[in-house]
Amino acid sequence: MKKNLAVIGASYLQLPLILRAREMGYTTHVFAWAADDVGEKAADHFYPISITEKERILEVCRQIGICGICSIASDLAVVAVNYVADALGLPGNSPESTLLSTNKHRMREAFARRGDPSPRSVLVESAAELAALDLPFPLIVKPTDRSGSRGITKVLTPAELPAAWEAARSQSLEGKALVEEYAEGKEYSVEHISFRGEHTFLALTEKFTTGAPHFIETGHREPARVPAETLAEIRRVVAHALDTLEIRNGASHAEIKIDGAGRIRLIEIGARMGGDCIGSDLVRLSTGYDFVRMVIQTACGEAPDFTRVCEPRPAEVRYVLTREDYEAFLRLRETEPERILRVVDMHPERIGGTTDSSNRAGCYLCRAAEESGEENG
């Protein structure tokens, strides 16, 4: 069989996938809107087709004769990946699973039906519905179908609600917004790889954000520092939720909160690995597992390989949003340069312009201190 692998997306987030596939002997066929992204140059073949044009992508994939299709760190790409895989009889997830894992309203409905612990959520489609809402403050307002902190606002009073609702609707691809109970607690994310319905836990990530009102992520640490019994319960809860969303093949990224009483709430789950270097870098550094290779293998119908490719050590990814973040990076580079593993992106001239996870001023990976008092340590 030809080793032609289709990759949806060409941004820097997809670059580890493209490069790893080529190392594994695949010919990479990358689909994305032409924007002079790094993936366009790294691909063996690039097709200037938007990742939303799933029918056109399918037509080209039929002509190529692909053995698998995949993407990492993109909810939007999941739609095209599963559409093409389903049409060509390749490993992936069903159309129903695609809907459940990319639309937050449908996801909340599924969680409610199956008893998965999740905040109360209401789809609000008009100003009249907004005015009649019966949920206690504070509330979270979010688009039904976006990721990366886009359009998310914590609302403390009724007066703030209309503007937050309009902001969320403006960011939604379908023009819709959810209003939800605010789940108290510390944030974590959970990475799994699934193959033919069997879910394997890979890592629990400790998350750091700017907090209210927009909760833009400032960094992540793996492994997260939680008691063994808490980790066991997280694994049980998330595995059940993966079944609820009918995720059977490929990576998944679950976002959760744990309150002071130890109660776990599911915030959302994406049928893809965590972005912002979580899946592509942190999992490998902290566990030794090649998560990117697993994504390629499962997309091509092969069982994931759990051979460790490096020594597992605690690691962090840190993002630069403010001048203080940039100065912390410079201090670390000066005093402990051996801890810095890779500077992924650094544009100090952008400081002050961050509105969500897509336009931060920098990103770097570093070894975590075993017991660090630093904010992202």
Side-chain angles (χ1 to χ4, degrees), residues 1-70:
M1 177 183 292
K2 294 180 180 178
K3 296 189 69 172
N4 290 321
L5 182 73
V7 175
I8 305 302
S11 75
Y12 76 96
L13 294 172
Q14 306 302 326
L15 186 59
L17 177 64
I18 297 167
L19 297 179
R20 192 71 185 92
R22 294 187 66 181
E23 290 171 2
M24 294 169 66
Y26 289 91
T27 299
T28 55
H29 298 263
V30 175
F31 297 81
W33 195 257
D36 200 32
D37 279 328
V38 290
E40 299 178 28
K41 304 174 184 66
D44 293 301
H45 302 279
F46 175 70
Y47 305 85
I49 301 173
S50 169
I51 68 173
T52 63
E53 296 183 82
K54 58 186 182 181
E55 293 86 359
R56 288 187 63 195
I57 295 172
L58 172 60
E59 181 182 350
V60 175
C61 287
R62 284 190 192 278
Q63 296 169 0
I64 295 167
I66 62 170
C67 60
I69 181 168
C70 53

Side-chain angles (χ1 to χ4, degrees), residues 105 122-130 165 169 174-178:
H105 176 54
V122 178
L123 177 66
V124 179
E125 299 189 79
S126 70
E129 291 179 6
L130 192 68
W165 177 65
R169 290 177 66 213
E174 64 176 4
K176 296 182 180 179
L178 296 175

